[in-house]
Each structure stands twice: as C-alpha cells, then as structure tokens.
C-alpha cells in the first residue's frame, strides 16, 4: 500500500491500461510553438525574480547605487558579490525558532480551514436544506471585506476568551479569514463531481459522513491540494495577522515578524529584505513541489473502476 | 484510506523539513552563542549608573512602593523594530529591572500604530507605550485610556529637569499623559566636510548667507540640496518639517501655536510665507537646486536621499534632516563620522525669533495601574535613565542638565549643546495638529504641490478645508 | 529540541482537535431520531464553517456598516454625513475609476495567462510541466514585501545622468532617451496599468494552480472519445476540456476579481496612492490608521460591499443554472 518508491508512477494504484497513455511518447505532445510561448512567458516571469536573487547577493551600498544587472557584468569580481546578507538572515538570533513557530502556525492554519471548508462545501454542493443558496452567497460576499476591519473586534473576543497571544488565536483568525475562499473553490469542485457516483453510494446505504470521507475527499484531492498550497502560502507569508494576534515575543514570533525585526525600523535594508525573501521562500516551494504530485489525470476514472 | 496515507506522508515530509531546518538553525545558534555576538547586547557592568536611590527630585516620595514589585512583570510597546534599536532601548530599562527583580516584556514593531490601536481598543493595553507621535497618544488620552502621570510623578521636579516646553508635548487637556523619553532634533543641515571645504564653502550662519551659498553652488555647477520626501504611507513629512522649521524662524512660537490650533490658517501670509521660503531656497524645486528636481524629491526615500552627498564628487552638498539620519549614512561614514560629515544649525531668518530648535521624539505613556510599571516610569523620568543609550549613540536626552560629554561623538555633543542653547524648542507642529491635517492633508497637499500637480493656492486651501469642523 | 516537541504537539492538538470535533458532532446527531438526524445533518457539515465566518467576518462587517453612520470615534451618530462628505468630494470618483481599471484588467489577463499555461503545460512531459509551473507559480511564494522590492527595481526613476537602478529606465536610457518617471505618469492611467502588471504577475500562478487542478480532473474517457473521433489536440481543448472546466474558470475569475477589488498592498508598497493611483482599500487604510476617522473608513468598506453585489448576482444565476442542469 504505502510503497515509498521513486515518484513515477505517482500513484499507489496499479498502472491500468489507460495510464499508459500518460507516457511522453503519446499524442499529447506539445508542438514547438507551444514551447516557444511557454519559454517566453517563463523568461518574463523569471526576470523580476532573477533581479531579486542577484540583488540578494550584492553588498548593501551597491544595491541602491547601481542596477542589479550590472553585477552580471562583474561575475568574476569578488567585491561585487557577498553571501553576508544570507549569513545575516540565517544566523540571526531566533531565526530557527521563528521557522518552527511559522510551521506551528501554518500547518493547522492551512489544514483546519480546509477541513471545515470541505465539510461545508460538501453540504452546499450535495445536501438540501433551507437557506442554502443564501448562506453560500453571504460566504462569497465576505471575500470583499478587508481584514483590517476585523482586527479590533476579534482582538476583543480573544481577550475575553483569554487566548490572545496563543497559537490558537492565530489558527482561528486565519481559519476565519481563509474560509470564504476555501468554501467557494471547494464547493465548485465538488459540485462538478459526477452525480451518479454519489447516488450509487447512497443506494448502497452509505451515510453522508461515509460518502464524504471515502468518496468526496479522495476525488477532490487535486482541488484540496491546490487550495492547500495557496492557503499555506498566504499564512506563511502573512505578517499582519501574526503580528496582531501573536505579537513579536521571542517564543511565538514567526519568520515574517522576525524578518521585520532584522530590518531597520525606518530604513530600507534591501540587502536583508531580498535575502530574507529567499530564505522564507524555501518552505512554500517545498510544499508546492510535494503537492504537485496530486495534480494527476484520471483520478476519477481510476477510482470509478476500483 | 489511500488518501489518508498520502496525507500522512506529506506531513512526515513537512516534519522532516522542519527538523532539518531546526537542526541547521540550532547549529547556527550554537555557533553564535560562543562567538562575540553578544557584545552589543550585554552592558559592560562598570558603566551602570550605580545610584541605589532613584533620583530624589524627580520621583514621588512614596518609599513604601519600593518593595513588593519583585517578581512582577511590565509590558512595554515601542516603535523600535530593529534589533539594535531594541537593544539600545532595553539597555536603559534592564539595569533598573534587574535591580528591582522585575521582568520586562518588550514588544517593538514597525506596525506600532496598528498594534497599539488594536491592543488598546481590544482592552488589553501594554503597561507602557512609547509613542513616536503625540497625535495618536492624544487620541487615546481623549478616549480615556491613559493614566494622568501626576499620580505617579512629581511633575514640578520633572518639569524643572526637562528642557523647557518638553513637558507640554505630553500634555492633553491639562493632564500630563506622556513623558518625553528620547528627543529627536530636527533643525540640522548636514554637509560632507572635506568636499565642502575643498570647494571653498563655509557653513552659513544666517538665512541670507544660506541663500548666497546656494546661489554660489549653482554658479559653480554644483547641486546644493539633497532632498527626498518619500516615506511609504507617511510620504511628505520631510517637506512639512522644512516648512515648520522656517515657520518657527519667520513667525515665531506664538504664531506657530496658533497655526497648530487652526486659528492661523494655512492660507495666511505667515504660513504661505513659510511655504514660499522653502520654494525659494530650493530654486522652485528645480533640478539645478535639488538633486533630481521635484520628481527626485517625491520619489526618493528620505533614508536614501543623503547618500549622494558622499559620492565623489558629491552629487549634492546639503541635506536638512533630523539627527537620526546619521544611521542612514553609508557605512564608511558611520564608522568615522567626524572625518566625513558635519552639520550646521538651520539658520535663523528673522532675528526676533532667534535660532529655535524643531524637535520630535518618543513619548512614554502609562496605561495601567501596575505598581511595577509606575516605578519604571519614575525611573524613566530621570536624566540618568538614558545614559547607556546616549553612550551607544543615536540618543539625545530631553533633560536640560544632561551630561553632553557622554555622547560618543563631537557631532552629537554639539547637538546636545544646540538643544540647550536654542532660543526655544518646539515639538513638531504637524504632529500636534488634528490627524486629518497633520498626518493627512498637510502631507498629501505638500507632495502634490512639490510634484507640480497643484499650485500653492489650492494646496493651502485644501489643507485648511481638511480641518475637522 | 524541546521547542520542536512543543511545536509538533501544538500542531497535533490543532489538527486532531478539529477532526475530533466533527466526529463528535456527527455522533451526537446520529444518536437522534432519524427524522431529526436528516434535518440536522447539513448543519453538522456547514455549522462550524458558518460559525467561524460569522464570528470573524460577518460580525465585523456589520460593525463596520454601523460605524459608517457614526463619527470618527464610532461614537456619535452622524447619519449620512460621512457618505455625503466622501461622495461629495470629487476624489472618490478617481478612486473608483482606478478600482474599475484593476477589476477589468487583472482578472482578464491573469486568468487568460493562467489558463493558457495550465493547458500548455498539460501537454509537456511531467518533469517539464513541473518546472514550468513552478516558474509561473514562483511569484506567489515570494513574500509581498520582497515582491515590492523587486518591482521597485523595475520602475525606479533616477535623475538623468545618474545610474538608473530601475530596469525599464536603464533600457530607456540605453536607447538614448530621458528616463521616465513611470509611476508618476498618470496620463491614460499608465501608472495604474503598470501596477496591475505586478498583480497579474502575482495572480497568474494562483489561477494556474486552480485551473490545472480542474484540467486534471477532466475524465480521461471524454478526451479519449474525442481523440478516437479524430479531433485535433486544439479541438479537444476547445470543445472538450474547456467546457468541462467552465465553472472553475468562472470561480477563479470571480475570486481574482474580488481579491482585486480590495487591492491594497501593491499600491501601498509602490505609490501609496499618489499620482492618481489611489484605490479604495488604500484610502480605507489611510482613513483608519493615519487620519483615524473610523466613520469615513467604514464608508469605503460599505462601498466595496455594494460593489460586490453584481458579482453576487452573477453567482446566484450560475447556481440556478447548475441546479437546472443536474
């Protein structure tokens, strides 16, 4: 069941006949025009990020006086390059701790809203109850509320509950702020699943709870994975919510808050900003790559036959 | 079931990554723990002011409170975001805290305003907060969130100790709710010493001399001014400082106070005149007089704007900015400031008003009736409290009798002298105006005016209109 | 490593707590008589989500609507004064125009790019697919503050004759022209359009991730059937795949649209709304945190809530269509 072999084939299922078509020699090959277009797009998309990368390896005084591309001309000039910015960020007091805190905040703040949203999305998609469409529309409408609006009332609530400054408060806050989008996207995906599947499961006497866990969740995996990536990123890169509800005490501060502490209070320490941006990017990228495996074709087909 | 397994594998992967990161970080920390890294945090023991007795004359004489705060905690919120500034601030608090067995919980952040608003509105204020601007402090005092410091301090003694007028900065409707802790002196014009002298220039002592000097520079093909007024959400404040500095020198203290109260309109001759002086001395914001002209002014960050002064040859020769700008100078300048840079006081214009000092600063307020916090405020009201920070640099004391020889550089010592010799000190007037004006229209309109999007008439009119009814 | 153990413990508590909660809730409802069970079951599923949303968003939103009729401290009742003040001030129309530009440009372009990339990468070998997607996705992983720095290095203006550190002006100068102050040029709202480029750069990855998930969910059989009928690859995408992911395209477009309605950080980081680039959320931030006038700030949120109504109507119509099709 849980073979831990190399990625391809990226599923635990036996390779069935129709999976064979996924190998690169079949008809689904991209033509050269497609490749060129993609290449151009990638180059455009990369250019600013490349600028960030180059900048992060430059001495602080160079950054604001000459363009980053000039450093590319001095590739072999040792004075044009430095790793000091990274050293400053990585060995900064409490950075390791901040990474742990970020994970502590992010993992539940990603999983809990998705869990709650998945339940709600299922109900919105496949259950009938009074007020269904109205409630759904309200949830979507709330996407437009800027979160600053909620800070003070929520803060007051957490104070009353006595959880202000605990991880629980941030989990709840992110769950609240991330919920509308999660419900909206997951409901759309679940509503698109084949009706016969759910009907036949009901005929077999499965309860809603069983249908949800055994059928809907596995079938919605691409959407769940996609949304997990997004929610993870938002929470990981969030500064304000963490600052307001957790604060910057050493034992709870997250990476973004720690990074802000490294930056000058009035200045623009661009050398630290740029290197810090890359250091904090590591984890989201790992998440992205590891969840990409679930973006595979034919999940529905496979499970239908299974 | 399958999906659950897949799930668990994902978590295991995440956890493994976390472990790896944590391990690396731990190693890194181990290295730094042994290194000389802690030097700037730890205070050398022998430099602590060893006054067992708090300064008699600045403290309420209630000795029975001296006991019973052991083991208590005091929470402080400040706008000090970066580690160095935090360490400097704590160096003024920690010795006291250790002596009294009090634990200090300090929270410093760039988003101080958002945070303090949330905390106070949410009913969980810190014991003490340091406000960078009195406007916000007064709003909170207005809402009744703060303690009257008269209950905690002997205000007469404190007033005697502080530079004249400083106590008023923390006063709201006859109650003193804030105590000036760190002063920021704004009326300074910086210049690069060797190049300045090489070109045969000398520091002007009057406005006329300053006008001659700028004209001379332009004739020589040099650009006199480095000005950058971009500052994220607060863009425009360096320009308002210019106008205020001029206003103090052309209209004087009383007129400035009337201006703050809204009694003297921006459209009045006095205030308009200050705007016009600013326009004149910078040649109408042309690129002959200001590096990059008006576009340069509105797009250059105030922190970066002094940098061209230290190029070879200097791209511009003078920079009017508060003393904190020293922290933004290029590294080699900061390492050895006296060799590279010096300042002259912003010159007097109308003799009647002499040479005033425009100031700002961080003001401490007390929110709770935590006895340990009260005692800490008493400590903070003494001149001695600031000594460790003064020695580290970047700190000017608001106390009249402060020993200026403690300041690390000649430059800072002379700033201290300038402060005590100034004809009067006036806290940043725009900070005293209602928020709609002082952090609103005054900033936006002056930026539009400099950028050439509006003329002076509509700019001052726009600011006047923003005064709340 | 005690810290680490603590972190794991905290995470475990958070996750297991949530799971146990649903399981318990379900058990409780299942213990009831069947009629009640069926009536209450949906609320077990949506209950927690609705409670959370009500607490964290509905309640604050209602407070805000209340505040919009009150003064700067949200205390005295001032009726419609805030509305009159804001709408009577000509500058609010400039805000709305800018928001309109954002709302039209960003979703259209970002979703098109996201869709194109999702479709094109679908036809690459899996390694290349991953690499390409990662590159397009990369901007989303960069923290916003980092993205702000990057784009400053694209649009930055320096006086003529000084080294340009902005990419665009370096190119302009190399071609022998005077550097242009891009973000200060509001003719034809050029600067707003340049800011939307940043958002497109950020959001295309978002659209791509969701659309890609949808494409992967298209059953193989339908594609195979079309192929057997002799349809070309292009036709397969146009006639088979896109119709099947239409609702996802709609949802993603709507999402990006709503996100863009409250666009704040891009504008705040690069121009703070100067040079006629101001938008509603930025003005809201300004009124709330700088001017500290809660009443006027609240009016701006109410404007956003009103602006979202057409999108809501479109959603309701879609729901009806869906129901009809099922």
């Amino acid at each position: 069941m849980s073979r831990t072999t190399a990625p391809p084939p990226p599923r635990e299922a036996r390779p069935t006949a129709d999976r064979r078509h996924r190998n690169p020699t079949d008809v689904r090959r991209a033509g050269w025009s497609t490749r060129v277009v993609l290449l151009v797009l990638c180059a455009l998309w990369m250019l600013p990020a490349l600028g960030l990368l180059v900048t992060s390896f430059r001495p602080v005084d160079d950054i604001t006086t000459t363009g980053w591309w000039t450093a590319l001309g001095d590739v072999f000039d040792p004075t044009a390059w430095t790793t000091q910015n990274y050293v400053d960020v990585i060995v900064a007091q409490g950075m390791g701790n901040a990474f742990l805190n970020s994970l502590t905040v992010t993992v539940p703040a990603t999983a809990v809203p998705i869990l709650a949203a998945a339940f709600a999305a299922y109900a919105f998609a496949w259950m009938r109850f009074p007020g269904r469409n109205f409630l759904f529309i309200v949830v979507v409408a709330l996407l437009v509320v800027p979160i600053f609006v909620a800070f003070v009332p929520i803060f007051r609530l957490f104070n009353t509950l006595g959880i202000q400054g605990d991880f629980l408060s941030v989990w709840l806050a992110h769950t609240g702020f991330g919920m509308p989008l999660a419900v909206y996207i997951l409901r759309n995906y679940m509503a698109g699943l084949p009706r016969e599947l759910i009907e036949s499961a009901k005929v077999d006497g499965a309860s809603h709870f069983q249908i949800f866990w055994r059928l809907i969740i596995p079938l919605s995996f691409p959407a769940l994975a996609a949304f997990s990536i997004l929610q993870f990123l938002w929470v990981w890169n969030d500064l304000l919510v963490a600052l307001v509800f957790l604060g910057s005490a050493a034992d709870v501060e997250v990476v973004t808050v720690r990074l802000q502490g490294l930056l000058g209070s009035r200045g623009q320490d661009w050398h630290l900003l740029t290197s810090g941006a890359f250091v904090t990017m590591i984890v989201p990228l790992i998440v992205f790559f590891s969840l990409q495996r679930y973006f595979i074709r034919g999940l529905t087909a496979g499970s239908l036959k299974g | 079931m399958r999906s659950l397994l897949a799930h668990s594998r994902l978590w295991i992967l995440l956890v493994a990554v976390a472990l790896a990161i944590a391990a690396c970080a731990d190693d890194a920390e181990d290295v730094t723990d042994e290194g000389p890294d802690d030097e700037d945090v730890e205070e050398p023991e022998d430099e602590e002011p060893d006054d067992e007795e708090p300064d008699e004359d600045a403290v309420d004489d209630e000795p029975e409170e001296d006991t019973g705060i052991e083991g208590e905690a005091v929470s402080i919120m400040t706008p000090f975001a970066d580690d160095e500034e935090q360490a400097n601030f704590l160096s003024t608090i920690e010795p006291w805290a250790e002596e009294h067995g009090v634990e200090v919980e300090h929270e410093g952040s760039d988003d101080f305003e958002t945070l303090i608003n949330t905390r106070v509105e949410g009913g969980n204020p810190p014991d003490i907060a340091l406000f960078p601007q009195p406007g916000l402090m007064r709003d909170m005092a207005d809402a009744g969130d703060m303690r009257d410091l008269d209950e905690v301090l002997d205000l007469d003694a404190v007033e005697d100790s502080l530079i004249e007028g400083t106590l008023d900065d923390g006063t709201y409707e006859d109650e003193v709710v804030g105590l000036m802790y760190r002063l920021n002196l704004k009326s300074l014009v910086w210049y690069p010493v060797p190049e300045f002298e090489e070109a045969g220039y000398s520091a002007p002592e009057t406005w006329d001399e300053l006008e001659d000097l700028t004209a001379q520079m332009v004739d020589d093909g040099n650009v006199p001014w480095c000005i950058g007024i971009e500052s994220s959400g607060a863009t425009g404040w360096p320009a308002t400082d210019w106008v205020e500095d001029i206003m103090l020198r052309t209209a004087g203290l009383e007129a400035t106070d009337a201006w703050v109260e809204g009694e003297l309109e921006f459209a009045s001759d006095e205030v308009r005149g200050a705007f016009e002086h600013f326009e004149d001395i910078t040649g109408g914001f042309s690129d002959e007089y200001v590096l990059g002209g008006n576009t340069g002014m509105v797009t250059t960050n105030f922190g970066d704007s002094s940098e061209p002064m230290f190029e070879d040859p200097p791209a511009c020769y003078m920079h009017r900015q508060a003393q904190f700008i020293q922290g933004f100078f290029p590294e080699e300048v900061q390492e050895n400031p006296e060799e590279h840079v010096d300042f002259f006081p912003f010159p007097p214009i109308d003799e009647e008003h002499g040479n005033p000092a425009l100031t700002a600063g961080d003001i401490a307020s007390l929110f709770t009736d935590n006895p340990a916090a009260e005692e800490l405020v008493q400590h903070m009201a003494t001149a001695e409290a600031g000594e460790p920070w003064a020695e580290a640099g970047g700190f000017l004391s608001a106390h009249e009798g402060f020993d200026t020889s403690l300041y690390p550089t000649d430059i800072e010592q002379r700033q201290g002298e300038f402060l005590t010799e100034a004809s009067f000190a006036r806290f940043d007037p725009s900070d005293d105006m209602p928020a709609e004006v002082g952090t609103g229209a005054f900033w936006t309109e002056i930026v539009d005016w400099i950028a050439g999007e509006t003329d002076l008439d509509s700019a001052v009119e726009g600011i006047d209109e923003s005064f709340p009814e | 490593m005690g810290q680490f153990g603590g972190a794991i413990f905290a995470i475990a508590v958070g996750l297991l707590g949530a799971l146990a909660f649903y399981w318990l809730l379900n058990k409780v409802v299942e213990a009831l008589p069947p009629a009640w069970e069926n009536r209450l079951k949906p609320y077990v599923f949506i209950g927690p989500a609705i409670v959370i949303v009500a607490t964290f968003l509905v309640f604050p939103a209602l407070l805000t609507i209340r505040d919009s009729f009150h003064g700067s401290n949200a205390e005295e009742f001032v009726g419609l004064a805030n509305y009159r003040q804001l709408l009577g001030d000509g500058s609010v129309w400039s805000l709305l125009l800018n928001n309109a530009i954002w709302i039209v440009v960003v979703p259209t372009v970002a979703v098109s790019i996201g869709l194109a990339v999702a479709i094109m990468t679908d036809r690459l070998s899996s390694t290349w697919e991953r690499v390409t997607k990662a590159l397009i996705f990369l901007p989303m992983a960069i923290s916003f503050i980092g993205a702000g720095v990057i784009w400053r290095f694209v649009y930055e203006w320096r006086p003529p004759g000084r080294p340009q550190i902005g990419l665009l002006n370096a190119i302009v100068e190399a071609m022998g022209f005077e550097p242009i102050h891009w973000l200060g040029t509001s003719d034809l709202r050029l600067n707003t359009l340049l800011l939307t480029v940043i958002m497109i750069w950020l959001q295309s990855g978002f659209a791509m991730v969701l659309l890609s998930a949808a494409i992967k969910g298209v059953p193989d059989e339908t594609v195979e059937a079309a192929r057997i009928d002799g349809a070309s690859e292009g036709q397969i995408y146009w006639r088979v795949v896109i119709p099947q992911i239409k609702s996802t395209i709609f949802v993603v477009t709507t999402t990006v649209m709503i996100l863009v309605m409250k666009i704040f950080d891009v504008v705040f980081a690069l121009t703070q709304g100067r040079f006629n680039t101001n938008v509603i959320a930025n003005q809201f931030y300004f009124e709330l945190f700088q001017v500290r006038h809660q009443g006027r700030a609240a009016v701006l949120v109410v404007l956003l809530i009103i602006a979202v109504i057409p999108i809501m109507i479109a959603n309701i119509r879609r729901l009806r269509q869906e129901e009809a099709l099922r």
Side-chain angles (χ1 to χ4, degrees), chain B residues 87 98 116 146 155 197-198 206 215 247 268 288 356 360 427 457:
Chain B
E98 274 167 35
I116 192 82
M146 283 173 197
L155 285 181
E197 286 171 356
E198 213 169 289
T206 65
M247 184 78 188
S268 67
E288 284 183 320
F427 198 89
D457 287 336

Side-chain angles (χ1 to χ4, degrees), chain B residues 23-209:
Chain B
C24 293
D26 268 13
D27 289 349
E29 274 183 271
D30 288 348
V31 173
T32 53
D33 279 352
E34 290 152 22
D37 203 58
D38 300 342
E39 271 186 358
D40 50 1
V41 187
E42 262 178 48
E43 277 298 301
E45 297 263 325
D46 51 353
E47 284 185 6
E48 275 179 33
D50 51 353
D51 52 334
E52 308 290 59
E53 287 290 293
D55 212 58
E56 286 272 322
D57 56 8
V59 187
D60 243 10
D61 41 354
E62 287 185 64
E64 74 269 16
E65 283 197 353
D66 240 17
T67 55
I69 61 166
E70 185 131 2
E72 294 289 323
V74 179
S75 58
I76 307 181
M77 271 180 94
T78 69
F80 307 138
D82 73 292
D83 297 349
E84 194 184 347
E85 218 171 6
Q86 289 192 11
N88 280 335
F89 168 67
L90 286 174
S91 74
T92 67
I93 305 286
E94 290 289 356
W96 174 89
E98 274 167 35
E99 189 185 333
H100 293 77
V102 169
E103 195 188 336
V104 173
E105 295 159 358
H106 171 250
E107 194 170 342
S109 165
D110 246 359
D111 293 303
F112 172 81
E113 297 212 343
T114 313
L115 282 181
I116 192 82
N117 261 316
T118 316
R119 294 279 299 266
V120 172
E121 294 259 332
N124 184 13
D127 292 323
I128 298 171
L130 251 67
F131 289 92
Q133 286 173 337
L136 179 57
M137 178 193 77
R138 292 199 184 103
D139 275 8
M140 292 189 171
D142 188 45
D145 294 318
M146 283 173 197
R147 296 277 309 274
D148 179 354
L149 292 179
D150 195 24
E151 301 162 12
V152 182
L153 299 170
D154 174 0
L155 285 181
D156 294 339
V158 173
E159 187 163 25
D160 281 346
S161 171
L162 288 172
I163 291 167
E164 195 167 338
T166 315
L167 198 64
D168 302 343
D169 305 331
T171 305
Y172 178 77
E173 291 186 352
D174 313 323
E175 272 189 15
V176 176
V177 292
L179 176 78
M180 175 69 78
Y181 194 58
R182 178 172 71 150
L183 205 119
N184 197 355
L185 174 58
K186 294 193 172 203
S187 309
L188 307 174
V189 182
W190 301 87
Y191 60 92
V193 177
E195 294 84 355
F196 200 79
E197 286 171 356
E198 213 169 289
Y201 304 138
S202 59
E205 288 179 9
T206 65
W207 186 259
D208 293 341
E209 285 178 25

Side-chain angles (χ1 to χ4, degrees), chain A residues 227-240:
Chain A
F227 196 80
S228 304
I229 292 173
L230 299 171
Q231 174 75 4
F232 187 96
L233 278 177
W234 286 319
V235 177
W236 183 268
N237 283 331
D238 149 81
L239 172 72
L240 262 186

Side-chain angles (χ1 to χ4, degrees), chain C residues 195-235:
Chain C
L195 293 178
T196 60
V197 169
I198 302 175
M199 196 63 180
I200 289 165
W201 180 73
L202 284 165
Q203 291 297 328
S204 296
F206 166 83
M208 175 199 76
V209 166
L210 292 172
L211 291 167
S212 194
I215 288 177
K216 302 296 181 195
V218 172
D220 258 356
E221 291 83 349
T222 56
V223 179
E224 290 295 329
R227 196 169 281 140
I228 289 163
D229 293 346
S232 72
E233 281 304 306
Q235 284 172 323

